[in-house]
Amino acid sequence: MNYYQNLNENMFSKKAISLTTILLKGLGQIMLQENSVTGLLFLVGIFYGSFTMGLAALLATICGTATAFLLKYDKAEINKGLYGFSAALVGVATLLFLKPVLATWIILIIGSALATVIQHFFMKRKIPVFTLPFVLITWLILFFTNNYFPGILSEASIAIASPINYLTVGFNGYGQVIFQGNLISGVLFFIAVCISSPISALYGFFGALLSAFIAFSISAPVSDISIGLFSFNAVLCAIVFAGNQIKDSIWVLISILLSLVISLLMVKFNFTQLTFPFVLASCITLVVKKKYENNRQNN
């Protein structure tokens, strides 16, 4: 009896560890890192910035991953955490824009499940869209609540103008990827990526600095630059194209410049940008890169 009891306990323990690893990898994939330690540090950083957002990130990742299991999506993709990151971002964004009331948590659960379904739609067709499912679902949530339930919208915080510190801007860019506006969370996120891929972390940091510097040179709002709002899309772009070769830096630069232009246009026309500038800039850069490499091979 003890033998079978111990066996069952060991099996349960292994399954629990496996599921935890998948969930943490899902969080790590927010910055394209299939690493559970990275995901854990992301979660710690979110909880440090906001306990409520931390709970939202965890719940949304669970819901997104559970949806993938229930709909019997590819296990290899699930194990890599590919159905957790868009859901996690939906969770954090929902608690950023909405008050922490019951309706908000219901919206979060539905939204994270839908993000997983959209993620699968594109993955099945081998279309790289990165965090687009998160963007689409969050836009839908904002449209829905603005028009039908404005009472649950949270009050917008006013950014206070402060001098730009280009050391902290790099970390703030990291923090804003997951909607965290404090330096400690940004440092934790940077360390988390560095553990998984040092070169990606460094490219992301310098990408954030470059984007902030260019934004400042064209007179973008200093308050927004200083807290990383013109840097976080650059962080993600830099991580996507980071590599050990010199030519990788060219693609990083192209994607960062594109993301900044898209970001500035969205701000000008008062669109909620989220990570859409990163998504569009990266997709355009990938197409150009593929055509360039194909032409080189043909020649």
Side-chain angles (χ1 to χ4, degrees):
M1 187 68 176
N2 287 336
Y3 170 78
Y4 289 109
Q5 184 177 356
N6 289 335
L7 184 62
N8 288 333
E9 287 177 354
N10 287 335
M11 289 178 64
F12 177 80
S13 178
K14 287 180 180 179
K15 286 183 179 179
I17 292 170
S18 176
L19 181 58
T20 301
T21 300
I22 291 170
L23 294 175
L24 292 176
K25 282 183 179 180
L27 287 160
Q29 291 283 9
I30 290 173
M31 298 194 203
L32 295 93
Q33 307 304 308
E34 187 189 335
N35 188 299
S36 56
V37 177
T38 299
L40 177 60
L41 286 177
F42 284 173
L43 190 60
V44 171
I46 300 168
F47 268 108
Y48 178 86
S50 167
F51 184 80
T52 308
M53 284 186 178
L55 287 177
L58 188 57
L59 176 60
T61 308
I62 291 171
C63 290
T65 305
T67 300
F69 274 116
L70 289 172
L71 296 179
K72 297 180 179 179
Y73 293 162
D74 184 79
K75 286 187 177 180
E77 294 173 347
I78 296 174
N79 291 339
K80 291 178 179 180
L82 296 178
Y83 293 109
F85 67 97
S86 276
L89 286 170
V90 168
V92 180
T94 301
L95 267 294
L96 173 70
F97 293 114
L98 308 183
K99 296 175 183 176
V101 296
L102 178 61
T104 296
W105 294 100
I106 294 172
I107 290 170
L108 181 154
I109 291 169
I110 296 171
S112 57
L114 287 175
T116 295
V117 173
I118 296 172
Q119 197 84 49
H120 178 257
F121 174 85
F122 287 110
M123 287 175 60
K124 190 176 181 181
R125 289 157 181 79
K126 300 186 185 301
I127 303 173
V129 293
F130 305 105
T131 57
L132 182 62
F134 144 68
V135 174
L136 295 176
I137 292 300
T138 304
W139 280 346
L140 180 63
I141 289 171
L142 289 174
F143 175 82
F144 179 74
T145 51
N146 271 290
N147 285 279
Y148 301 105
F149 297 98
I152 67 172
L153 290 167
S154 62
E155 295 180 4
S157 58
I158 300 174
I160 301 172
S162 60
I164 298 175
N165 182 321
Y166 282 100
L167 175 62
T168 59
V169 162
F171 293 122
N172 287 342
Y174 266 92
Q176 291 291 354
V177 172
I178 322 181
F179 304 105
Q180 301 307 305
N182 69 86
L183 181 60
I184 298 299
S185 293
V187 172
L188 283 171
F189 296 165
F190 171 79
I191 293 171
V193 176
C194 196
I195 288 171
S196 176
S197 173
I199 193 165
S200 294
L202 290 173
Y203 261 112
F205 187 83
F206 288 110
L209 295 182
L210 176 62
S211 188
F213 178 77
I214 297 172
F216 178 74
S217 69
I218 58 176
S219 302
V222 172
S223 58
D224 290 344
I225 296 170
S226 64
I227 61 175
L229 293 182
F230 284 102
S231 294
F232 69 93
N233 280 293
V235 169
L236 292 170
C237 286
I239 289 173
V240 168
F241 295 99
N244 295 313
Q245 299 181 9
I246 294 175
K247 64 180 180 180
D248 296 319
S249 62
I250 297 172
W251 300 116
V252 167
L253 179 61
I254 291 170
S255 64
I256 287 172
L257 293 175
L258 279 172
S259 73
L260 182 58
V261 170
I262 296 164
S263 181
L264 289 167
L265 285 171
M266 293 185 77
V267 170
K268 181 179 180 179
F269 292 102
N270 202 29
F271 286 117
T272 303
Q273 57 177 315
L274 305 172
T275 56
F276 183 73
F278 148 67
V279 172
L280 184 55
S282 295
C283 288
I284 292 171
T285 306
L286 281 173
V287 171
V288 174
K289 182 183 178 183
K290 187 175 181 179
K291 286 186 176 181
Y292 171 78
E293 290 175 346
N294 286 340
N295 288 336
R296 284 199 66 182
Q297 288 178 357
N298 293 333
N299 294 332

